[in-house]
Amino acid sequence: MKKTLIGLCALALGGMSLSACGSSEEGADDGSITMGFAQVGAESGWRTANTTSIQESAKEAGIDLKFSDAQQKQENQIKSIRSYIQQKVDVIAFSPVVETGWDAVLQEAKRANIPVVLTDRAVDTEDTSLYVTFIGSDFVEEGEKAGQWLVDNAEASDVDKDGTVNVVELQGTTGSAPALDRKKGFEDVISAESKIKVTASQTGDFTRDGGKQVMEAFLQSTPKIDVVYAHNDDMGLGAIEAIKAAGKKPGTDIKIITVDAVKDGMTALAAGEINFIVECSPLLGEQLMDVAEKVVAGEEVPDRIVTEETTFTPEQAAEALPDRKY
Amino acid sequence: MPEPTRTMAVKEVGARAVSHRLFWPLAALGTLLAINLIATPTFFNVRIQDGHLYGSLVDIVRNGAPVLLVGIGMTLVIATRGIDLSVGAVAAIAGAVACVYIVKSPADGAVGTAVVAISMALAVCVALGLWNGFLVAVVGIQPIIATLVLMVAGRGIAMLVTGGQITTVNNDAFAALASGHLLTLPVAALIALGVFAATQIVVRRTALGLLIESVGINPEASRLAGVRSRTIIWTVYVFAALCAGAAGLIIAANTHSVNANSLGLWIELDAILAVVIGGTSLAGGRFSLTGTLVGAMLIATLTRTIPNIGIPAEANYLFKALVVVIVCLLQSPKARAVLQRRREPIPTSREEAVV
């Protein structure tokens, strides 16, 4: 038993050193680009689609991708970034788990002359020279798009025709960047239209269950709800359940606007239970590979790149639904 | 002559009511409901909607069902001087197993599929409960550590089962667990209250309740007295896992979906809180299932109060914490004694001290 254990350990060690040799050779200049990507984890369908997009785009662009999953832990992410530095990859990209605490490891990357690209989430640092660019969604803009649709459709959204459009808002996790920014963008735009009023706002923690419970309460406490604005599809889907239980028709008796455009949300949109969805796209792989090639070639890139995103009406959703991946 | 005796009797009844361990939780529940009624005058209104009861109070009882179920299991575990931190993860696994089975099944809308899915999920929960019980009763690991293992690993298991995706099911029979109605009453609440009544009967009409308490007060002495401590501890952990599984299925059915990350997240803390508010001591021994029922309803009402009276999202946790602290202080005999001494003239308390 002991012997086999020792044997196994030796094998494992041997394997490790072998793979280490292998990767350092790959890092050497043979013209192709090597990218180290440290993913947050696989916590949602959105994130899985994000991972798939990056892996597929890398294959298409002919970039050698080294991928690691941090399972929501910063120390894991720092470890894999360090290993990428040692392997001398050409470019490092990652989605930071949290905003702070990256300066040390990013300094190491800078000293090794490896450019760093942030995806989807930003880091909080005073030294912006530590990374080349940040590719991700603009949450404020998403909120603005949602608000703009409501302003444009204010007349039709006043379901009870009493002259005011009463909006209830289902916020994301309190204090999270998407929740703060989507709220802000929405409020900025609707303030232009005096008819539109946010009558109640509460967090549903980005979950269906949370959205349902908060909506149940709103249906009882807030009279004359015309519109629900949910910070993500899941809370909107929860609200649909609550509205149905109250004997009302979602999408008709109460209009629903959400952000994300995941498959379940799009299905509800195509069925007319949601009226408008602002996309928050995880498919930033192509843009990332593009930036990686430019950075390695020494070209200038803008320090903020917004993910290409669109919006969906029920008709557009019905069209897009068959090839929706996530 | 009869007048003074009557007032004395009334006073005595009043004093007894106040000293009852459920008086303060019930008073807090009543106060919360009253606050809601002031904020929304229609709060107590219940009407018939599509052939079932509909209203805030119905929502509270229905949404409180998962915490009540987990709380019932937790009460018995705590009574044996244990604690089960893994219930949230177990709930997530139950939801994941049931939803993934339904989605993968060829007849994903059939009643039979839902029945098999539910049975499978509960069977998995029994296995998880056996694991917890094994670690605590046989290996002798401290309950908080033993169940921490599954609390952490369980979410991973649930993620593996669902492949990290939010799994959505379209099965009316399964959805009925949470949003269905029987004789105009919500099924979820009926399940929770049914489990409550059954447990209450089993622990109070048989010696089981007494045995659980004796194990909680002194496991070694109970064993020497011929009580099979190990079997009893093992049983309560399996029961707690089953209750958690049922709660997980209701939460999953409520939204026709399972999100392994968020299903039942922190429900163990809500359940422990419900047990403590209900007057069961974390030190084990004497327990009160009725207390847990009151505690669970208090938590459900509190959750409902926040959006109802319009507390800003940023102040949610602070408001919840304040209510909990007040309830706990009111319940604590020491804190009450301090308050009372302030109110009463000093000589009386001295006399009492002399007596």
Side-chain angles (χ1 to χ4, degrees), chain A:
Chain A
M1 185 64 199
K2 224 177 193 176
K3 265 187 192 162
T4 30
L5 261 180
I6 294 170
L8 274 174
C9 288
L11 256 179
L13 279 172
M16 271 161 77
S17 53
L18 261 181
S19 64
C21 294
S23 41
S24 59
E25 269 160 28
E26 274 167 46
D29 247 34
D30 57 351
S32 77
I33 300 172
T34 312
M35 174 192 274
F37 188 86
Q39 181 60 287
V40 178
E43 75 275 16
S44 62
W46 194 96
R47 185 65 61 190
T48 318
N50 181 245
T51 301
T52 318
S53 160
I54 289 162
Q55 286 170 335
E56 281 176 0
S57 310
K59 206 179 276 171
E60 260 171 47
I63 290 178
D64 179 23
L65 183 73
K66 295 181 182 306
F67 185 87
S68 68
D69 182 334
Q71 294 172 332
Q72 315 290 330
K73 288 204 176 70
Q74 183 174 27
E75 62 262 34
N76 291 348
Q77 249 181 344
I78 291 180
K79 255 186 241 160
S80 42
I81 293 173
R82 287 223 166 97
S83 85
Y84 293 147
I85 297 173
Q86 279 164 4
Q87 293 172 34
K88 299 193 173 69
V89 297
D90 298 307
V91 55
I92 292 173
F94 76 111
S95 254
V97 177
V98 291
E99 286 197 341
T100 50
W102 299 102
D103 292 49
V105 70
L106 292 186
Q107 279 290 358
E108 287 170 32
K110 195 181 170 188
R111 254 181 258 131
N113 273 326
I114 301 175
V116 174
V117 179
L118 304 178
T119 63
D120 162 51
R121 300 185 188 182
V123 299
D124 188 8
T125 172
E126 279 169 11
D127 187 359
T128 48
S129 73
L130 291 179
Y131 59 89
V132 191
T133 181
F134 164 41
I135 306 177
S137 309
D138 184 340
F139 300 133
V140 177
E141 197 188 321
E142 288 167 2
E144 286 169 355
K145 284 180 188 165
Q148 195 55 49
W149 182 85
L150 186 58
V151 171
D152 295 343
N153 296 277
E155 206 64 46
S157 300
D158 184 10
V159 180
D160 51 14
K161 305 286 169 221
D162 63 350
T164 30
V165 182
N166 291 319
V167 183
V168 294
E169 184 181 30
L170 302 174
Q171 300 177 31
T173 306
T174 313
S176 67
L180 293 171
D181 293 352
R182 284 173 190 166
K183 184 173 160 63
K184 184 177 175 296
F186 184 77
E187 279 169 358
D188 286 352
V189 173
I190 59 161
S191 62
E193 177 66 72
S194 57
K195 274 172 83 170
I196 304 172
K197 281 204 177 69
V198 177
T199 46
S201 179
Q202 186 55 245
T203 174
D205 269 328
F206 281 134
T207 65
R208 290 188 199 183
D209 204 41
K212 184 175 180 182
Q213 292 201 19
V214 172
M215 193 60 205
E216 279 172 355
F218 282 166
L219 283 164
Q220 307 271 349
S221 65
T222 317
K224 300 184 191 166
I225 300 173
D226 296 309
V227 176
V228 175
Y229 167 47
H231 287 183
N232 77 346
D233 286 350
D234 280 326
M235 290 190 294
L237 291 167
I240 290 177
E241 300 282 322
I243 293 170
K244 278 186 190 163
K248 291 186 175 169
K249 213 167 160 232
T252 312
D253 296 335
I254 294 179
K255 306 276 181 190
I256 301 176
I257 308 168
T258 68
V259 184
D260 255 8
V262 296
K263 204 168 190 177
D264 285 340
M266 293 287 271
T267 312
L269 180 62
E273 292 182 331
I274 294 180
N275 302 77
F276 189 67
I277 297 186
V278 178
E279 186 186 37
C280 178
S281 175
L283 308 179
L284 46 76
E286 234 170 273
Q287 280 172 301
L288 175 63
M289 299 312 147
D290 198 35
V291 165
E293 281 167 359
K294 278 186 185 160
V295 167
V296 173
E299 287 172 43
E300 277 289 305
V301 288
D303 53 8
R304 175 78 171 90
I305 299 171
V306 177
T307 324
E308 287 155 20
E309 290 173 337
T310 174
T311 57
F312 292 98
T313 60
E315 296 75 34
Q316 289 164 332
E319 242 172 70
L321 202 51
D323 351 289
R324 202 73 183 162
K325 285 180 196 147
Y326 58 98

